[in-house]
Amino acid sequence: MLNKLRSLPWLLSTLLIAAIAASPLYFILTEVQKPTQEMWEFISEEIEIPADPADTSPPENEPSPLQNYISGSLIMLAGVTTLTLIIGISTAWLTTTFRFPGRTTLTILLCLPMAIPTYVMAVMYNELLEPHKFSLFLWIRDTYSPAAAAQCSIYWKFTLAILILSLSFYPYVFLAARMAFKKQSQAYIESSRILGRSITSTFIRISLPLARPSIIAGLTLALLETINEFGAMKILGIETLTTGIFSAWLDFDELNSAVRISAIMMLIIFTLLILERLLRGNKKFHTHRSAASENPGITTSKSNITIIYTTTLAITTLAFILPIYKLIQQASLALPDQNLQPYLDLILSSSWLAIRASILIIIAATLLAYTARITPKWWILLTTKISLLGYAIPGAILGVVLLSVKGTLHQSADSTAQWLFHTTVTGLIIAYAIRFLTVGFNPIEAGFKKINHNLDEASTSLGRNKLTTLLKIHLPLLRHSFLAAAIILFVDILKELPLTLILGPSNNDTLATKTYGLFAAEERIPEGSIPALILVATSLLGLLILSTILKDKQP
Amino acid sequence: MRTILNKTAAILLLSLTALSAKEVTIYSYRHYEADKKLYKQFTAETGIKVNTVKAKADALITRIKEEADKCPADLFIAADVGRLVKAQEEGILQPATSELLQKQVPKALRDSNNFWTGFTVRARIIAYAKDRVKKGEINSYQDLMLPKWKGRVIARSSSNIYNQSLLSAYIANHGEKKAFLWARAVKNNMAREPEGSDRDQMRAVAAGIADACIVNTYYVGLLTNSKNEKDRQVAEKLAICFPNQAENQTGTHINISGGAVCKHAPNKANAIKLLEFLTSSKAQSTFSETTSEYPLIRENATSKLLKSWGPFKADPIPLDTIGKHRKAAAKTFLKAGWK
């Protein structure tokens, strides 16, 4: 009983966070229960092409737009899953298992693509590859047929989209897998090696299964980003559920149909998450020794090192160096007549916004993860999972949903609403928190999982309460997780667009909105490349500062 | 002592309210840097501070609706008449005009009930490859339906508002059935599925992927004046045609960027002042140079490029009619399989 009472503040904090984070879900559920609108019925039916004398093509039934959206999304998900897993896990394994000169530098290089917003990457790859795309198209058209060329351009855009998204999102898997491999108990690895397994076999039989929860967490983020990607899909001309949501909302003025499509999307995501949880069952993945013993890596032959360098540098070149090269080249075209002074303020305000939001998210995520640890009841786990669903809602839909929350506030407590949304950016920060809670939660939860429960019990038996245990035992052990969370959060929020545009107060320009304005609205690539480049540089600076802190703190 | 304090407080309060009235808040879909310069000029001339919130037009409409009577927006600015009409239908605007506005804005380019006012004009035209298409081979939007253009046409996605407005106008002029046949035939003539922006269509035509594309006039301007040499080379290879100029034809489809005073505007007078400023000859003279858009009176365009195109006949259909058919247009595109 006493124990239960002690957990009460933790339970309450979790419920409070869940209540705030789930407010958009409530809105979505009520919308879905309303009768369907015209567009919903229209897009879910197959298209019948009426007989028409002027139309020479034979009458045919085409798949419904909804089927197109779903298949587009599934192709993207399948492709990105495969590629991010291959790239993320292999690079993480190579850079943790082996010890070689330049390992830290390579590790940092592999994280850098995170600093480039996906739509910027898409624009730059378009610039880079367009001539080749054109020559391929013309060659196929002239050697085979125009129809084959048209078909080829469809394959091209899907391949390119999968490549771009995977290059953008593999760092999620890389970071998660790397942390897992690094923290793996050496006892397991050494036993396996002594028992005669090769390094590769040890990796497949021991390291990989042990790293599974972390890798899945990283992959989940990559997939959620993929399914919600709008900018790059638009640029490359691919129809997915997310572009369908926008079409329903913008072209048909049917917010209800848009919400309905996002509900389908969330259902897919929720099913995937639950499925993974069921498959994982009750297995525990913490190490049996103190987590402090880190994998130091083994030395290896010169030829192996060459292979490692070639793979990682090839990936870095594709994911970072090439797009940055193009970005710099474009920016230099517009640089001569630009006044860079205003950008300084923009860097400071954008970073400060991202820092504040990151701190709020890390605190909320720690509360959630710790409550789930000390009270591992099914309903707590469910509440936690529900609070994390903000990431599954497309940014713009979340923005619109929060607008209606804001509208309600204006009517009931106007001064609070004014403060939240008009005089300060507090409302925007809370919106970021709802959207990015998962991003902060995953590494922190994974970090908690790696801490042996015996430590908690020892602390309790020594008479420490839950708060002291958290502060004195867990927080120091979790610092790697916090930094991993902080890195991803800072960079993600810096790049965030839809919420910033929809909910921001007056005159709230950020580097991302500035880039967007020039790229998307004005289509002035050279001019837009300047804020884009500054955005990337700011993210990089954040990454570097955090990774320096990380290195200093290492024992 | 106390009275002095009271007086200072009162004066402070008064000057604060006076200050707060010296501003105007815009919710704008236009992200142009050139607009920012114009706003600065407006502030310098009138002392009225300009606050901006920039987002997609539909998000702004939802935001104004949700903020209701607490909405700080005075002016809603959209880059397309469809969104202005949508805002009007949603009931978030109020009629507002002035003698100056009536004088400065041609009747066809503002709402008959004064809900919105245009301040720049663009035309949706056909750009084609100079070396593969003879001058005069394409004369109308309908020409793109002909079998001879099979595999030679490209256009951007149908979810794009400029295509939707074009098809809305088509529906208003010729009816839904004919609009469907047009969209279907053009879709069947496409060299590839729609992808990318207007600019990308022109680059593809210059590269030989297709021979003709549908684009907005100012995108041609953007390419011609681009900082990127490759873009300028693309522009070199293209010629443009203002479609449907013959006597029995409708004229080229045009659209506007425009502003509208919000229903609960706290600074209505300032909003009107800003609209007057944007439609004044001084501001109008800048658009053709900065954003390659036409001014309200097209003959007054100063940019070399726009002048070189000469005058053209615009589709005289009232702009609000276009706005009213926008949903039918989106549906027609979807039916026609134009992605």
Side-chain angles (χ1 to χ4, degrees), chain A residues 67-361:
Chain A
Q67 282 167 325
N68 274 337
Y69 300 153
I70 293 179
S71 63
S73 283
L74 290 179
I75 293 173
M76 291 309 300
L77 285 178
V80 173
T81 306
T82 319
L83 255 185
T84 48
L85 282 183
I86 293 175
I87 301 177
I89 295 176
S90 63
T91 47
W93 184 69
L94 289 173
T95 50
T96 47
T97 309
F98 300 106
R99 196 167 51 201
F100 51 89
R103 180 161 75 155
T104 326
T105 318
L106 275 187
T107 308
I108 294 175
L109 275 178
L110 282 166
C111 295
L112 297 188
M114 274 201 312
I116 309 178
T118 320
Y119 57 90
V120 173
M121 184 102 95
V123 171
M124 291 306 134
Y125 258 98
N126 241 0
E127 295 280 329
L128 273 168
L129 295 182
E130 199 161 59
H132 308 293
K133 179 174 85 173
F134 287 158
S135 9
L136 182 71
F137 184 97
L138 292 178
W139 180 74
I140 293 181
R141 187 184 72 185
D142 299 338
T143 5
Y144 300 96
S145 69
Q151 193 59 37
C152 151
S153 74
I154 296 177
Y155 293 140
W156 171 283
K157 68 186 180 189
F158 270 104
T159 316
L160 187 61
I162 290 173
L163 184 75
I164 289 171
L165 261 53
S166 302
L167 290 175
S168 280
F169 302 144
Y170 83 82
Y172 290 121
V173 178
F174 168 74
L175 278 176
R178 185 178 162 274
M179 198 164 73
F181 291 148
K182 225 175 147 181
K183 290 274 178 176
Q184 259 163 20
S185 165
Q186 284 314 289
Y188 297 140
I189 313 280
E190 279 156 20
S191 315
S192 162
R193 299 279 286 133
I194 288 164
L195 289 171
R197 285 197 189 281
S198 68
I199 296 181
T200 326
S201 161
T202 306
F203 165 66
I204 292 168
R205 297 296 188 88
I206 312 288
S207 301
L208 200 54
L210 276 176
R212 182 168 143 189
S214 302
I215 292 174
I216 294 289
L219 181 66
T220 310
L221 290 186
L223 293 185
L224 288 173
E225 289 276 8
T226 304
I227 202 164
N228 281 338
E229 181 61 41
F230 179 70
M233 297 295 108
K234 211 67 211 164
I235 291 164
L236 298 166
I238 290 176
E239 292 191 309
T240 64
L241 283 169
T242 300
T243 64
I245 288 170
F246 279 84
S247 165
W249 176 34
L250 306 180
D251 306 340
F252 291 85
D253 303 342
E254 290 190 6
L255 197 52
N256 177 280
S257 301
V259 170
R260 215 169 265 277
I261 305 175
S262 40
I264 297 188
M265 235 167 70
M266 292 172 63
L267 202 67
I268 297 179
I269 292 163
F270 205 62
T271 318
L272 286 177
L273 289 180
I274 297 283
L275 207 67
E276 198 281 324
R277 186 42 64 99
L278 288 178
L279 285 175
R280 204 193 290 177
N282 277 331
K283 294 176 201 142
K284 286 194 174 161
F285 292 87
H286 63 74
T287 53
H288 92 292
R289 283 202 319 206
S290 153
S293 86
E294 281 183 4
N295 183 350
I298 49 176
T299 46
T300 182
S301 67
K302 277 235 169 73
S303 60
N304 274 350
I305 294 179
T306 320
I307 294 174
I308 296 172
Y309 263 92
T310 326
T311 2
T312 46
L313 284 179
I315 289 164
T316 316
T317 309
L318 283 178
F320 188 73
I321 297 172
L322 269 181
I324 290 296
Y325 154 76
K326 198 70 201 168
L327 198 55
I328 292 175
Q329 193 201 40
Q330 290 288 315
S332 66
L333 294 172
L335 204 57
D337 40 33
Q338 284 277 327
N339 177 14
L340 293 181
Q341 187 60 34
Y343 284 113
L344 197 65
D345 293 334
L346 215 51
I347 295 172
L348 291 178
S349 61
S350 305
S351 310
W352 178 225
L353 188 63
I355 289 170
R356 278 180 289 174
S358 305
I359 292 172
L360 179 70
I361 294 170

Side-chain angles (χ1 to χ4, degrees), chain A residues 38 52 127 130 133-134 141 157 234 251 253 406-407 414 422 501-502 504 507 516 522-523 525, chain B residues 32-33 51-52 54 56 63 67 86 159 164 181 193 195 197 199 203 207-208 222 326 331:
Chain A
E38 187 191 8
D52 160 41
E127 295 280 329
E130 199 161 59
K133 179 174 85 173
F134 287 158
R141 187 184 72 185
K157 68 186 180 189
K234 211 67 211 164
D251 306 340
D253 303 342
K406 181 182 170 207
D414 185 48
H422 294 287
L501 286 173
I502 295 174
N507 308 326
Y516 164 80
E522 296 203 48
E523 294 185 22
I525 309 296
Chain B
Y32 295 109
E33 292 292 308
N51 303 312
T52 47
K54 287 181 283 188
K56 292 226 171 191
R63 178 162 167 170
E67 289 172 343
K86 179 178 172 182
S159 65
Q164 288 180 4
L181 292 179
E193 275 190 3
E195 61 175 71
S197 59
R199 212 178 59 112
R203 284 160 77 153
L222 279 178
R326 62 183 198 283
K331 207 166 150 180

